[in-house]
Amino acid sequence: VGPTIVAGEILVEIMATEQGLGFLEPLVLMGPYPSGAPAIFIDQAARLGGGAGIVACVGRDDFGTINLQRLRRDGVDVSAVWVSDRYPTGSAFVRYRPDGGRDFVYNIAESAAGQIRLTAEARQLADRAGHLHVMGSTLSVSGLKEIVAYAVKAVRARGGSISFDPNVRKELIDGADGALFSALVDDADLLLPSGDELLAAAGVEDETQAVAALIARGVGEIVLKRGAAGSSRFAADGSRIDCAGFLVEEVDPTGAGDCFGATYLTCRRMGMEPGKALFYANAAGARNVTRRGPMEGIAGFDVLDGFIAGTARAT
Ligand code: ADP
């Protein structure tokens, strides 16, 4: 028991309303929208009714306020969000390429989001937590390493569980970061990779081999994200479940993986069986891409049930 917790960046996202390349000329932008992968994840967990808390840092400004208001409204414990008087809330500008790719301009390291620290409030939240979700993409921030190290120990000491989204290129981290990455793979009860990340985490070229290698390292459950194609779940007992994707029109792909992961985890923590949890996770990921704004497609069970009833799936 105890809330699911995450640590990392809270941002606002400002996005282009038309496709194009880069930000080299003025264009029409929309936003600010609440964002940041850890914030998306934890907001989705809270919306499903799971206990949820976040360790983060925002500025004392309107961008911080819209994030805190959203997270509080949805039931996230924000007691460990530090409000900085010196640094502004982090931001991300996004533009969509005609080929489906995205161009980003980030302001994170020199913003409040880059000032995240293991504060007394962060320790208190970690000491109460029942589950820690770690995102690989946040691990290069120095303050986060300390928070993750503390929270892994605290959650384990309470008999809690750990999930890891290895969303970082292993080539981009070396030395101490590489060791931390490997330790987190070994520590994880649940791994939430997408295709390339699965292979990188295992260090092999083939999906079946990668799953076998990671299970042999002690990972209890691997849930693989396959974008529009859906997802698969592999468990230590050798079982495999595949779940086809819902057929939707993708308006904005940002946040799908985090909504998906939070939904799978929260359903499992509520005692739901794996196949049903995977089905809800697919629905949450698919619904999220139908809305502009990384957190605007987040939904509770009532909305997800309506979405499931009204949406066809790939066969
Ligand atoms: P990530 O954002 O981490 O790369 P994915 O893009 O694989 O993750 O999305 C996570 C999940 O969300 C997928 O496994 C799928 O269930 C759902 N999803 C994502 N994009 C789509 C899409 N275009 N159509 C239907 N479902 C989608």
Side-chain angles (χ1 to χ4, degrees):
V1 288
T4 294
I5 64 165
V6 291
E9 74 278 9
I10 288 178
L11 310 173
V12 289
E13 187 171 310
I14 291 133
M15 75 239 321
T17 55
E18 59 212 291
Q19 288 184 342
L21 298 176
F23 286 104
L24 293 172
E25 72 243 16
L27 62 154
V28 180
L29 297 163
M30 250 181 104
Y33 288 104
S35 188
I40 299 165
F41 184 98
I42 210 64
D43 193 72
Q44 175 68 78
R47 278 285 276 276
L48 294 170
I54 186 168
V55 180
C57 184
V58 297
R60 196 174 296 286
D61 51 34
D62 288 348
F63 289 175
T65 301
I66 63 162
N67 272 291
L68 287 176
Q69 278 178 348
R70 172 66 62 90
L71 294 170
R72 270 197 201 105
R73 182 198 80 185
D74 291 344
V76 177
D77 179 340
V78 294
S79 60
V81 179
W82 177 37
V83 181
S84 170
D85 287 311
R86 275 188 60 193
Y87 291 88
T89 301
S91 55
F93 291 77
V94 192
R95 180 161 183 168
Y96 302 93
R97 290 171 174 267
D99 66 3
R102 283 172 281 178
D103 295 304
F104 287 98
V105 175
Y106 283 116
N107 166 32
I108 298 179
E110 300 301 322
S111 75
Q115 315 309 313
I116 187 167
R117 298 283 180 274
L118 180 59
T119 57
E121 292 80 6
R123 285 173 206 262
Q124 283 161 17
L125 181 63
D127 289 344
R128 284 188 277 117
H131 183 93
L132 170 70
H133 178 68
V134 183
M135 299 177 159
S137 57
T138 65
L139 287 178
S140 55
V141 179
S142 62
L144 265 156
K145 284 179 210 158
E146 206 189 347
I147 295 167
V148 167
Y150 182 89
V152 165
K153 277 201 196 116
V155 168
R156 281 288 183 227
R158 301 188 70 235
S161 48
I162 294 169
S163 51
F164 183 41
D165 181 343
N167 55 351
V168 67
R169 294 237 159 265
K170 224 184 167 187
E171 310 84 90
L172 296 183
I173 53 174
D174 52 7
D177 286 349
L180 176 60
F181 182 90
S182 294
L184 282 164
V185 171
D186 290 331
D187 265 329
D189 303 287
L190 167 63
L191 211 57
L192 286 157
S194 50
D196 293 350
E197 295 157 3
L198 173 76
L199 304 182
V204 298
E205 297 292 313
D206 169 81
E207 184 179 303
T208 311
Q209 283 174 19
V211 167
L214 291 167
I215 298 274
R217 277 169 71 176
V219 177
E221 237 182 317
I222 301 167
V223 173
L224 181 62
K225 295 173 271 184
R226 301 186 192 273
S231 58
S232 302
R233 183 254 192 191
F234 306 89
D237 62 9
S239 63
R240 170 181 182 151
I241 305 169
D242 294 305
C243 192
F246 286 87
L247 294 170
V248 293
E249 193 196 336
E250 186 175 290
V251 174
D252 180 2
T254 309
D258 298 313
C259 287
F260 173 94
T263 302
Y264 184 78
L265 174 73
T266 305
C267 289
R268 294 287 283 140
R269 289 203 73 206
M270 289 171 165
M272 206 181 274
E273 47 155 291
K276 198 170 173 195
L278 199 63
F279 188 67
Y280 270 118
N282 264 26
R287 183 178 188 277
N288 194 55
V289 307
T290 65
R291 297 288 190 286
R292 196 197 295 270
M295 279 163 69
E296 307 315 303
I298 290 176
F301 281 112
D302 49 348
V303 171
L304 288 182
D305 284 332
F307 172 84
I308 288 165
T311 313
R313 286 203 300 155
T315 47

